[in-house]
Amino acid sequence: GDNPVGEAIRAELSRRGVNVAVVSTGLSQEESLAALQRAWQSGPTPHLFLTGAYDAQSATCVTEPGWSQRLSCGVLLPFWFCQRWFQLVSEAGLVDQATVVAVAALGGDFGFSGRVASAESGALAGLMKALGVEITRLRKSEFRSKVVDFAPGESPTKMAETVLQELAGGNRDVEVAYRGGRRYVVRP
């Protein structure tokens, strides 16, 4: 994503010496997949961060044409993008080192309070959980998928730091939320 959260993650990773490729969420499916292919040719990209829920256009909209546009851009495109990215990761033999993280805007409590800024975040959370089940558990892999939800008003810089701390921590929690500086996890 090319939004403040995506930019903060890019800046923090670059500061740490990591090469980062940013793919705009405003591109078509074909353009996005071509951008992914170009980035991959520069060197394997085993870590994927999805930040489209923080695009200016991502606010929950239930009327047309807004809903159809966000369905395409905020739900379907990330699905196709993840699918192609995982295919490249698999072909490169990097599944056990790979991570995918979606940064959600569900209120810092996965929408339990009913204050959802971005409904597409729910779809991304489902995608991350499905990847966790299908790849990590069924294949007995070290692959990690994670969705990190934040309360409204959190600074993009703090969000980026928190997302990277989540990955560095090594925990296997897939659904993590932050509200008021506290970490919450969803458990069945």
Side-chain angles (χ1 to χ4, degrees):
D2 55 355
N3 51 56
V5 175
E7 173 54 28
I9 291 172
R10 185 211 56 78
E12 183 59 28
L13 288 171
S14 294
R15 188 184 70 73
R16 296 178 186 198
V18 177
N19 291 326
V20 178
V22 176
V23 177
S24 172
T25 49
L27 301 176
S28 70
Q29 179 180 337
E30 295 78 23
E31 292 168 327
S32 293
L33 296 179
L36 172 61
Q37 194 66 42
R38 285 191 302 275
W40 193 270
Q41 289 170 347
S42 297
T45 308
H47 309 289
L48 177 61
F49 298 86
L50 303 170
T51 65
Y54 286 88
D55 288 350
Q57 310 86 346
S58 70
T60 299
C61 176
V62 294
T63 59
E64 291 298 342
W67 170 245
S68 292
Q69 290 170 343
R70 285 317 293 179
L71 174 65
S72 177
C73 180
V75 177
L76 298 175
L77 182 58
F79 171 80
W80 295 118
F81 197 89
C82 281
Q83 185 179 58
R84 178 63 182 135
W85 170 80
F86 186 75
Q87 183 181 21
L88 292 167
V89 166
S90 294
E91 290 169 358
L94 296 172
V95 172
D96 284 337
Q97 293 85 37
T99 58
V100 59
V101 178
V103 184
L106 293 167
D109 63 359
F110 286 104
F112 290 124
S113 66
R115 295 183 304 263
V116 174
S118 169
E120 66 198 51
S121 292
L124 293 175
L127 178 59
M128 295 304 104
K129 291 188 288 187
L131 288 170
V133 169
E134 292 178 17
I135 299 167
T136 306
R137 292 185 190 143
L138 297 181
R139 294 185 184 192
K140 307 283 192 262
S141 171
E142 293 299 312
F143 176 85
R144 289 186 17 200
S145 63
K146 190 174 285 276
V147 57
V148 185
D149 182 31
F150 290 95
E154 191 69 66
S155 81
T157 301
K158 181 64 177 164
M159 292 166 72
E161 292 169 358
T162 301
V163 166
L164 296 177
Q165 286 172 354
E166 274 295 323
L167 289 176
N171 67 65
R172 304 304 286 183
D173 297 320
V174 175
E175 294 177 278
V176 181
Y178 284 86
R179 184 183 251 324
R182 296 192 63 190
R183 181 181 189 269
Y184 297 91
V185 295
V186 177
R187 299 264 193 250

